[in-house]
Amino acid sequence: MRRWMALCGALGVSIAVSAQPPAPRVLVTDGGAHTSIAGPGAPRHIVGLKRLFHDILMDTGVKTYGLRYVVAFDDKRPGVAIPGEGYIGMHRPANCNWYAGGFFDLSINNKSIGSTPIHSLVGRSVGTRGYADFVFDTPLSLVRIRFVALARDDALYCQVLLEPKTEIERLRLVLRCYPSAYVSNAERHVLTPTRDLPQGKQADLDLPRESWLLYYDRIFDTGYVSQKRTGVGPCSVLWPGSQAEKVAFTVGAYGIETVMDLEPQLRDFRFVFFDYKGTKNEDAMADLRRRAPGLLRQLAAFRFVDDSVANWPLAEKQREIENVLAAMPDEKEAASGYRAWAAELTKQIELLRAGGPGGIMAEATAARIIRKWEQGIPTLKLKALLKGI
């Protein structure tokens, strides 16, 4: 029995030993990166190019959000990422609402950060939270786009954090959605706190009185079925009105692009996203109206900091891996790799704890190493266990 439990532990399999219900958690699944050749259905300018996808799922227990990094690469343009229609997509709960092919596009001084290949994309579960960090090291600024999901919550919180390398004169965020279905025989609407804008209407929002939007389709409501499509439900976004200079959109007949000109002197921008898949329009409207004031207050005070990276117990983890490797003196490559990771983690965690400039990159680098470190442990433990049999 002891050996069986040790084997399960090496494989990362937990054994229930208590009737106590588990504490609520966010289950984060990193699907890893994979590539394929962009086919005819892709945007015309990337057809035939190698396309990179990297998905992270965050299951809160009541809602699963799937975030995606997606860009193309051309061998004739080394070091350049080529977004199709965007580079951060949301493929779950519904790939049409916050568009899976790219719903989030930030530009600095009129240049999209998506043209710079991503530095790192790391997802992790910490207590009652799940994190997904998209980090870009662009010529103009370090940028971390962090999504946070809370256990038993249906909202997805987002922070854009900047460490500029030059003067920022203009910041623009474009959000893209196809509410409820990919259809053109539709009746799109956008609801604000003060008005309901029908298809074809252009709007400049009255900030900060209008600081949330619900995108829906009056025909393709949840469950409406046509020959080709079924309505899935609306989607929405909230943000502090003071962080934007201007927010404008036209209620398109197919997709809707919302353009936010952000305050260029700010360095911390916050949003809450909802995908109301499975919820009727009227119910989503009522829910958002009821919750919006509290959500906006919560967002202003929301703590996006993840202390788990800065406080990762490196000394304890080093002792653990040394004990495992002591039983396998022939695993010289693994031992060398873990020593190099430990040295780099020591440096990056010190930088992170010191605060100040460089924190974004220090945390991103440390988080990436921690992920590799933890991914390698079960395999090494299993090798050590089998060696002793």
Side-chain angles (χ1 to χ4, degrees):
M1 180 63 180
R2 285 195 298 270
R3 180 158 290 177
W4 168 248
M5 293 180 70
L7 180 60
C8 289
L11 292 171
V13 177
S14 62
I15 301 175
V17 295
S18 172
Q20 291 290 332
R25 292 180 60 85
V26 177
L27 178 61
V28 178
T29 305
D30 188 334
H34 64 277
T35 60
S36 62
I37 301 301
R44 186 176 302 175
H45 67 284
I46 67 168
V47 171
L49 298 180
K50 182 186 293 183
R51 205 174 188 187
L52 172 71
F53 297 87
H54 188 162
D55 293 350
I56 289 181
L57 294 176
M58 295 195 288
D59 181 354
T60 73
V62 296
K63 186 80 71 173
T64 298
Y65 283 100
L67 296 165
R68 169 175 291 168
Y69 176 63
V70 52
V71 291
F73 293 95
D74 187 343
D75 292 339
K76 298 176 182 177
R77 300 170 62 188
V80 176
I82 307 171
E85 297 159 284
Y87 47 92
I88 297 179
M90 188 187 298
H91 63 286
R92 291 183 65 179
N95 64 12
C96 58
N97 274 340
W98 294 114
Y99 179 46
F103 82 97
F104 195 102
D105 187 0
L106 179 71
S107 296
I108 302 175
N109 295 348
N110 299 316
K111 184 174 179 61
S112 172
I113 68 169
S115 61
T116 299
I118 196 167
H119 169 270
S120 57
L121 170 54
V122 177
R124 57 192 175 275
S125 179
V126 182
T128 60
R129 290 181 163 214
Y131 294 88
D133 288 352
F134 295 73
V135 176
F136 298 84
D137 187 4
T138 80
L140 301 178
S141 180
L142 283 168
V143 182
R144 188 192 72 199
I145 302 171
R146 169 169 287 174
F147 294 91
V148 180
L150 305 180
R152 312 297 175 130
D153 198 339
D154 63 341
L156 184 65
Y157 299 83
C158 175
Q159 180 196 45
V160 176
L161 194 64
L162 307 178
E163 286 184 11
K165 302 176 183 179
T166 188
E167 182 181 359
I168 295 181
E169 299 176 349
R170 190 178 188 190
L171 273 172
R172 171 168 282 187
L173 175 64
V174 177
L175 301 176
R176 183 178 296 110
C177 67
Y178 299 82
S180 205
Y182 295 117
V183 287
S184 54
N185 57 330
E187 190 180 334
R188 307 298 205 195
H189 281 253
V190 178
L191 180 72
T192 85
T194 63
R195 49 187 166 155
D196 190 324
L197 297 150
Q199 188 167 302
K201 185 73 173 178
Q202 192 278 333
D204 290 327
L205 297 187
D206 179 11
L207 301 173
R209 291 179 64 234
E210 294 177 301
S211 56
W212 58 257
L213 299 170
L214 180 81
Y215 307 82
Y216 71 99
D217 194 284
R218 187 161 286 177
I219 296 174
F220 283 83
D221 197 354
T222 298
Y224 178 85
V225 180
S226 71
Q227 288 184 338
K228 296 183 178 180
R229 291 286 186 269
T230 298
V232 299
C235 58
S236 66
V237 61
L238 303 87
W239 68 95
S242 59
Q243 72 183 24
E245 294 180 331
K246 180 181 179 181
V247 178
F249 57 84
T250 297
V251 186
Y254 187 50
I256 302 174
E257 288 192 350
T258 301
V259 180
M260 297 185 172
D261 289 322
L262 303 174
E263 294 282 358
Q265 77 278 7
L266 298 180
R267 300 294 173 257
D268 180 342
F269 302 90
R270 298 167 173 226
F271 309 88
V272 182
F273 292 96
F274 284 95
D275 186 324
Y276 280 109
K277 180 181 179 180
T279 303
K280 290 285 190 180
N281 291 335
E282 291 298 327
D283 293 334
M285 292 174 190
D287 180 73
L288 191 57
R289 286 192 176 108
R290 176 178 58 83
R291 296 169 64 186
L295 281 165
L296 290 170
R297 288 192 299 271
Q298 180 185 6
L299 185 59
F302 195 89
R303 181 174 168 81
F304 281 94
V305 174
D306 173 18
D307 294 323
S308 71
V309 177
N311 295 329
W312 197 68
L314 177 57
E316 176 187 325
K317 296 292 185 177
Q318 282 180 284
R319 288 192 296 271
E320 177 190 32
I321 193 62
E322 286 168 2
N323 289 336
V324 172
L325 291 171
M328 297 183 294
D330 54 330
E331 289 285 344
K332 292 182 173 56
E333 184 177 347
S336 175
Y338 273 94
R339 283 195 298 269
W341 284 343
E344 186 63 23
L345 277 172
T346 299
K347 181 173 69 174
Q348 298 302 334
I349 289 175
E350 285 178 357
L351 285 171
L352 184 56
R353 289 174 177 173
I360 288 177
M361 189 56 67
E363 184 181 46
T365 301
R368 187 165 58 176
I369 294 172
I370 288 169
R371 179 180 62 181
K372 292 179 180 178
W373 184 301
E374 293 180 337
Q375 285 175 337
I377 290 291
T379 300
L380 288 173
K381 284 185 175 181
L382 180 58
K383 282 184 178 180
L385 183 65
L386 294 175
K387 193 177 183 68
I389 294 176

